[in-house]
Amino acid sequence: MIDKLEFFIALAGASHFGRAAEECGVSQPTLSAAIRQLEDQLGVVLVVRGSRYQGLTPEGQRVLEWARRIVGDTRTMREEMRAARKGLAGHIRIAVIPTALAMVPRLTEPFQARHPAVTFSVTSRTSLQVLSQLENLEIDAGITYLDNEPLGRVTTVPLYSERYHLIAAAGTPLADQESVTWKEVSALRLCLLTSDMQNRRIINKHMAEAGVWAKPTLESNSMIVLFSHIRTGQWASIMPRNVAESFGFSEQIRMIPITEPDAEHLVGLVATHREPHTPLVSALLHEARLRAAASDFDRNFLSTDGKPLLT
């Protein structure tokens, strides 16, 4: 029954029999047969079928809620028993919004030092994907915005606030100013994250508040791509201060605060709202609270001489 429920959760997440089977490591006929058997056992039709997957029936939606709860509880039980036998060990899957990727080592490094038998996988995802994968049990935790768009029913640990700066090569327009406005920035040749990223929606919102529109000439879902174009001196970008500093730019790159408004948005760790959490997730939440309390996430990245990497 647990295996069948896991197959069903995978199918609901993938919305495709073939992709769900691949994720579960079984053949498509095996997965389809398991879903049929689950329907027979429960006495209801769970999936709307045609020539291909067409969604869940109302009964399927209700069973999906139970499946997530049952599978989540089963995984928690298994992890607790493993921890009781061997101590804390296992693998933690974390999905992270692009602007927070550089901050992840501040959580994973001290955690692994404390629990060396634990391994991590970290993937870059949009904020909506973080929440979706968390709901479908595809990840154990996420790092995303906490105060801008609805999160649903999740456990949260605030980590740090993003503050937005113009990042531009020295000698380019506005690069020598002590601060700039959103309206001034809108006139530059910009490279920004793609519109499916919440960071981009935040930038669009603050631009609109200033009565202008963001019109980038280059978009990407990769921070590396944006940084590489800034270095050419032909583009500028809008980024959180901590992200820009993490790349250790030379003196040829300038970072100028954006005002009117001087915007901040809270970023934090999210996990499925459940009690109890798995031992691994409980330990990760605890580590996040320790790091945040110690201000590890709010400290500026500094060079070896104690000076900011950017000015």
Side-chain angles (χ1 to χ4, degrees):
M1 174 65 81
I2 298 299
D3 289 343
K4 292 169 187 172
L5 292 176
E6 289 186 333
F7 290 168
F8 182 58
I9 292 171
L11 177 61
S15 300
H16 189 278
F17 279 95
R19 287 195 296 269
E22 185 176 352
E23 289 176 14
C24 295
V26 299
S27 67
Q28 183 171 332
T30 298
L31 184 134
S32 297
I35 300 300
R36 292 279 191 190
Q37 291 168 11
L38 183 60
E39 290 176 321
D40 291 342
Q41 287 178 279
L42 297 175
V44 294
V45 175
L46 303 176
V47 179
V48 180
R49 294 177 177 84
S51 57
R52 56 187 176 182
Y53 176 87
Q54 296 182 8
L56 301 181
T57 64
E59 294 81 5
Q61 291 288 352
R62 186 72 182 110
V63 170
L64 180 61
E65 296 175 18
W66 278 103
R68 288 168 174 159
R69 191 180 313 173
I70 293 167
V71 169
D73 286 345
T74 301
R75 292 180 181 177
T76 301
M77 178 185 66
R78 288 171 177 165
E79 281 197 22
E80 283 194 3
M81 296 306 100
R82 183 171 61 236
R85 296 193 314 271
K86 302 179 180 179
L88 196 65
H91 188 74
I92 300 179
R93 304 160 298 170
I94 307 176
V96 185
I97 57 174
T99 59
L101 285 168
M103 309 297 285
V104 175
R106 294 190 171 198
L107 180 61
T108 54
E109 190 278 329
F111 184 96
Q112 199 163 55
R114 199 185 307 270
H115 307 290
V118 175
T119 59
F120 290 92
S121 60
V122 179
T123 54
S124 177
R125 295 289 184 266
T126 70
S127 57
L128 293 177
Q129 288 172 331
V130 169
L131 297 178
S132 174
Q133 291 191 340
L134 200 60
E135 186 178 44
N136 287 322
L137 307 180
E138 297 173 57
I139 58 172
D140 303 296
I143 297 179
T144 186
Y145 295 100
L146 302 185
D147 63 353
N148 187 58
E149 295 178 356
L151 292 172
R153 188 172 168 80
V154 294
T155 298
T156 64
V157 179
L159 295 175
Y160 65 93
S161 290
E162 282 190 348
R163 302 178 69 88
Y164 303 97
H165 287 64
L166 170 66
I167 311 300
T172 57
L174 306 180
D176 293 329
Q177 295 188 196
E178 291 188 4
S179 66
V180 293
T181 66
W182 290 92
K183 186 173 183 178
E184 288 174 321
V185 170
S186 70
L188 298 177
R189 188 183 188 192
L190 294 174
C191 56
L192 299 173
L193 287 173
T194 50
S195 57
D196 59 334
M197 300 291 178
Q198 190 171 168
N199 171 267
R200 175 63 182 281
R201 295 195 291 275
I202 288 172
I203 289 172
N204 289 348
K205 180 177 73 173
H206 292 308
M207 289 259 188
E209 290 169 351
V212 293
W213 299 98
K215 298 178 180 178
T217 60
L218 184 142
E219 297 177 315
S220 176
N221 62 0
S222 166
M223 299 301 293
I224 297 291
V225 170
L226 300 187
F227 282 122
S228 64
H229 281 80
I230 293 169
R231 287 184 184 276
T232 68
Q234 300 302 310
W235 278 271
S237 190
I238 300 169
M239 296 181 183
R241 177 188 177 95
N242 46 23
V243 176
E245 289 180 334
S246 71
F247 275 76
F249 279 142
S250 69
E251 294 180 357
Q252 300 304 312
I253 302 297
R254 301 281 295 172
M255 183 176 68
I256 305 100
I258 303 176
T259 59
E260 299 181 25
D262 182 5
E264 287 187 66
H265 288 279
L266 191 62
V267 175
L269 185 72
V270 295
T272 304
H273 186 79
R274 60 179 303 111
E275 289 295 339
H277 286 104
T278 67
L280 286 173
V281 172
S282 292
L284 186 66
L285 290 168
H286 177 68
E287 191 69 45
R289 294 184 182 107
L290 290 178
R291 297 301 106 203
S295 299
D296 283 4
F297 281 89
D298 283 332
R299 245 175 248 141
N300 288 336
F301 287 88
L302 301 177
S303 61
T304 54
D305 62 0
K307 297 179 181 179
L309 291 169
L310 290 173
T311 57

